[in-house]
Amino acid sequence: MSQSLARALQILMSLGEGDRSLDQLATELDVHKTTVLRLLRTMEVERFVRRDEAHRYRLGSRLFSLADAAREQHVVRAVAAPYLRQLNQRTGQTVHLAAYENGQVIYIDKLDSVQSVRMYSQIGVPAALHCTAVGKVLLAAQPKRQREGLLNTIEYHRFTPNTITGPDELRDELDLVRSQGWAHDRAEHESFINCIGAPITERSGRVVGAVSVSVPDVLLNYEQVLELLPDLLATTAAIGADYNN
């Protein structure tokens, strides 16, 4: 672990026990005050810490949002687990679970295909918003103002000839996703993978995650992948129904 990261984490753990002055933190970390102040300034800008009128440091509001996201992801993952296993077993294909967090879509679970072909996606790694099925599903679910802001900040990297490369095209795609209730990635992120994704919607109508089924075209073509859509939609509906129980 880098020294700066280790010190920043130690600061957060110290502040978790109560507020601290700059001098106290420097003593606890056994480093010069300027080193601690440099870390604190960065953490303050990012709202991981805050400084009060008495120049004492406390935990910042960013940690509340991260804690809420971590708690929700844990709940979604736990509730979804048996349904994802069933979907994986029925289809024999790679199944992903993803959640939206601070402008990113993160893979929080993955069940590999029973076939020998493996995908490179990893738990904890962000999914591209503009060219993955889960990315489109969760981006489409965001409030309009937030969605529009993201549309203008995405780096529209062209992964394949089919990749969406601009906000207008993606906006039209998201309108379609919201109207039909699911999204596709037709060889947009990886040239040999077709994927379908659908939202997990809890009782209040809030989207709390997305599930996808991804298949290499050597196993199924796009039209054959679409035949898995009823299974996918039944799975997300079951997870959503179970989410608040």
Side-chain angles (χ1 to χ4, degrees):
M1 186 185 299
S2 77
Q3 194 172 54
S4 294
L5 176 58
R7 287 171 176 165
L9 292 174
Q10 190 174 345
I11 288 171
L12 291 177
M13 288 186 285
S14 293
L15 296 181
E17 297 172 359
D19 60 3
R20 297 284 196 275
S21 68
L22 175 60
D23 287 337
Q24 286 174 313
L25 288 170
T27 299
E28 290 182 16
L29 271 65
D30 193 25
V31 295
H32 197 275
K33 287 192 294 185
T34 56
T35 300
V36 180
L37 185 59
R38 186 166 57 249
L39 291 170
L40 286 168
R41 283 173 174 167
T42 300
M43 296 167 75
E44 191 174 6
V45 168
E46 297 297 331
R47 295 186 292 108
F48 285 102
V49 304
R50 63 184 178 88
R51 181 178 51 169
D52 64 19
E53 297 82 359
H55 299 287
R56 296 184 68 82
Y57 290 89
R58 304 172 186 271
L59 294 177
S61 60
R62 173 65 64 85
L63 293 168
F64 290 112
S65 62
L66 289 178
D68 287 343
R71 188 182 304 112
E72 183 160 283
Q73 287 183 16
H74 176 76
V75 172
V76 172
R77 193 172 190 266
V79 172
Y83 300 101
L84 299 182
R85 285 196 297 271
Q86 293 169 13
L87 180 63
N88 175 250
Q89 291 166 1
R90 284 198 305 270
T91 64
Q93 308 302 335
T94 300
V95 173
H96 291 103
L97 174 66
Y100 182 85
E101 178 185 323
N102 295 323
Q104 292 186 312
V105 169
I106 309 294
Y107 291 117
I108 60 174
D109 206 354
K110 177 185 178 183
L111 285 78
D112 281 314
S113 167
V114 299
Q115 310 294 332
S116 59
V117 180
R118 293 289 183 266
M119 294 186 61
Y120 296 113
S121 52
Q122 294 181 321
I123 295 172
V125 173
L129 292 174
H130 64 299
C131 60
T132 62
V134 291
K136 294 175 188 177
V137 165
L138 292 173
L139 182 55
Q142 301 312 304
K144 183 176 181 180
R145 183 174 180 179
Q146 188 172 345
R147 189 171 64 244
E148 284 295 320
L150 288 168
L151 284 172
N152 293 317
T153 58
I154 290 172
E155 293 184 13
Y156 290 89
H157 179 75
R158 183 186 287 275
F159 292 94
T160 77
N162 293 343
T163 303
I164 291 172
T165 56
D168 292 337
E169 186 182 358
L170 183 55
R171 185 180 294 107
D172 291 342
E173 180 88 354
L174 297 180
D175 288 343
L176 177 62
V177 170
R178 285 195 300 278
S179 67
Q180 68 186 11
W182 58 277
H184 72 188
D185 158 11
R186 191 170 184 177
E188 297 171 44
H189 188 247
E190 296 177 82
S191 59
F192 58 96
I193 298 287
N194 290 305
C195 180
I196 49 174
I200 300 170
T201 306
E202 52 102 45
R203 193 176 302 143
S204 71
R206 185 170 60 100
V207 173
V208 296
V211 178
S212 67
V213 179
S214 303
V215 190
D217 56 15
V218 295
L219 299 177
L220 298 176
N221 61 34
Y222 175 72
E223 286 71 24
Q224 291 171 314
V225 173
L226 288 183
E227 294 175 6
L228 304 177
L229 185 58
D231 261 339
L232 172 63
L233 295 176
T235 297
T236 53
I239 297 170
D242 199 18
Y243 182 80
N244 290 118
N245 292 338

